[in-house]
Amino acid sequence: MIHFFGKKKLVTTETTEQVKLGLGLCLSGGGALGFAHIGVLQALIENGIEPDIISGSSMGAIVGALYAAGVTPTEMMQIIKDDRLYRVTRLMTFKPTIWKSGWSDHSTVLTLIKEIIPHNSFEGLQKKMLICVSNLNLAQWEIKSSGYDLNSWVSASASIPGVFEAHEIDGVFYLDGGLLNNLPAQPLKELCDTIIGVDVLPHEAPTSLKKPIDAVTKSIRIVEHVNSLEGRSMCNYIIEPQSIKQYNEFRFDAYQKIYSQGYTDALEYIKNNPEILHLKNKDKATIDPILLK
């Protein structure tokens, strides 16, 4: 398991043989806006660009885990169309008691991940998956990458503060990875020579803040943007789907349009940055097992 606390670096043993590092993909949090990740993945795959290792926060952790398990973007969209992910009323099982730490429990996400990935383990995934969570006990973000409780860590990473209950694991309380690190590219920097970041919450200067809720929403987005700056600086390429201009984090009903926006923006990015296409010609990476522990 890899842990990152602030600037802490991963310590590895030296090897006599040079390690060939692979292509990393970092997926940000963003609630329903994270459906754009699926469209971006579709565009990358169509252009022969397939990452070896994925890192993600919140919705990025959900999409990333499904992709790491071998679920295609087309299959992900079918899961959504089957009403298994996009409806807020299905995603959230409400708990009205006022002393709960959130309005909803984790049953839907836990069940969905275990149903689609029955082995429920990081080690059983087809690709390496790194999940970012916020540790409330230590006030630090962490990366989880091993064990047989994949669905618990995916659920913890996607636990939006105030919406979902804090996820308690071994006496420690966890919430949304995006709370402290919305674009967790840091662990990929240690494992990959090239990183593609997908940030569905790029900074947008406000044009109007007439309602209090507008100020609250914008403030939260700014905090998430600021905590993603370090991760953004580590990415060689950053794709920024523009769904945020029309939709908010709770527009789960707009999944098709958000997906399409991600797909279109990714194709446009590839067109404007043709050098990214050299990634499709790279040999499959051979990662030192020590780095993946």
Side-chain angles (χ1 to χ4, degrees):
M1 184 177 294
I2 303 173
H3 291 271
F4 280 82
F5 304 121
K7 298 288 185 178
K8 186 175 180 180
K9 297 296 183 180
L10 178 65
V11 179
T12 63
T13 59
E14 295 184 358
T15 58
T16 56
E17 184 178 351
Q18 185 176 3
V19 178
K20 291 178 65 178
L21 301 180
L23 173 61
L25 177 67
C26 186
L27 305 177
S28 77
L33 298 175
F35 288 134
H37 290 316
I38 306 174
V40 172
L41 278 170
Q42 183 64 44
L44 292 176
I45 292 170
E46 288 179 2
N47 282 275
I49 302 169
E50 298 194 40
D52 303 292
I53 309 174
I54 304 97
S55 179
S57 281
S58 198
M59 183 61 87
I62 294 176
V63 174
L66 294 177
Y67 178 63
V71 181
T72 68
T74 299
E75 291 169 337
M76 290 185 208
M77 290 302 289
Q78 190 59 53
I79 290 170
I80 298 168
K81 291 174 183 177
D82 288 343
D83 201 16
R84 293 159 69 193
L85 186 58
Y86 86 85
R87 289 186 185 273
V88 175
T89 53
R90 295 291 181 87
L91 187 62
M92 302 176 187
T93 303
F94 287 99
K95 301 290 185 180
T97 21
I98 60 173
W99 54 83
K100 289 286 184 180
S101 58
W103 292 336
S104 172
D105 68 16
H106 307 272
S107 58
T108 299
V109 177
L110 287 169
T111 301
L112 179 68
I113 296 300
K114 197 163 185 179
E115 176 185 336
I116 298 172
I117 311 173
H119 57 73
N120 199 34
S121 71
F122 286 88
E123 288 75 12
L125 297 172
Q126 296 180 17
K127 297 178 182 289
K128 185 67 180 175
M129 183 69 209
L130 308 167
I131 294 176
C132 183
V133 294
S134 294
N135 183 322
L136 299 187
N137 292 46
L138 298 176
Q140 296 169 330
W141 60 270
E142 300 176 5
I143 296 295
K144 306 299 180 180
S145 62
S146 65
Y148 290 87
D149 46 6
L150 175 67
N151 66 338
S152 293
W153 292 121
V154 171
S155 178
S157 182
S159 296
I160 302 170
V163 175
F164 286 95
E165 297 174 356
H167 202 125
E168 184 178 4
I169 301 175
D170 297 330
V172 178
F173 291 96
Y174 296 93
L175 275 178
D176 197 310
L179 177 66
L180 298 179
N181 188 348
N182 203 46
L183 194 71
Q186 290 86 342
L188 294 176
K189 190 69 174 178
E190 301 290 342
L191 300 171
C192 306
D193 54 2
T194 305
I195 302 171
I196 298 174
V198 185
D199 190 353
V200 302
L201 288 178
H203 177 61
E204 292 282 331
T207 57
S208 176
L209 294 175
K210 296 180 180 180
K211 300 177 182 178
I213 188 61
D214 294 334
V216 172
T217 300
K218 189 58 185 178
S219 298
I220 293 172
R221 286 179 175 176
I222 287 175
V223 169
E224 290 179 309
H225 175 70
V226 170
N227 76 34
S228 71
L229 290 177
E230 182 180 49
R232 286 175 62 93
S233 71
M234 296 179 177
C235 296
N236 303 90
Y237 304 94
I238 297 182
I239 300 172
E240 299 179 328
Q242 296 300 302
S243 305
I244 192 173
K245 293 181 177 180
Q246 293 181 276
Y247 305 104
N248 62 47
E249 292 85 334
F250 293 97
R251 283 298 306 274
F252 289 89
D253 61 309
Y255 69 92
Q256 185 66 58
K257 292 181 179 179
I258 294 173
Y259 161 86
S260 297
Q261 186 73 58
Y263 177 73
T264 300
D265 290 341
L267 289 179
E268 185 68 18
Y269 185 90
I270 292 170
K271 177 182 177 181
N272 294 332
N273 299 271
E275 65 274 13
I276 197 175
L277 292 173
H278 84 278
L279 297 174
K280 70 179 182 180
N281 297 320
K282 296 185 70 173
D283 295 331
K284 274 293 178 183
T286 302
I287 309 295
D288 188 333
I290 293 176
L291 295 176
L292 297 181
K293 289 182 179 180

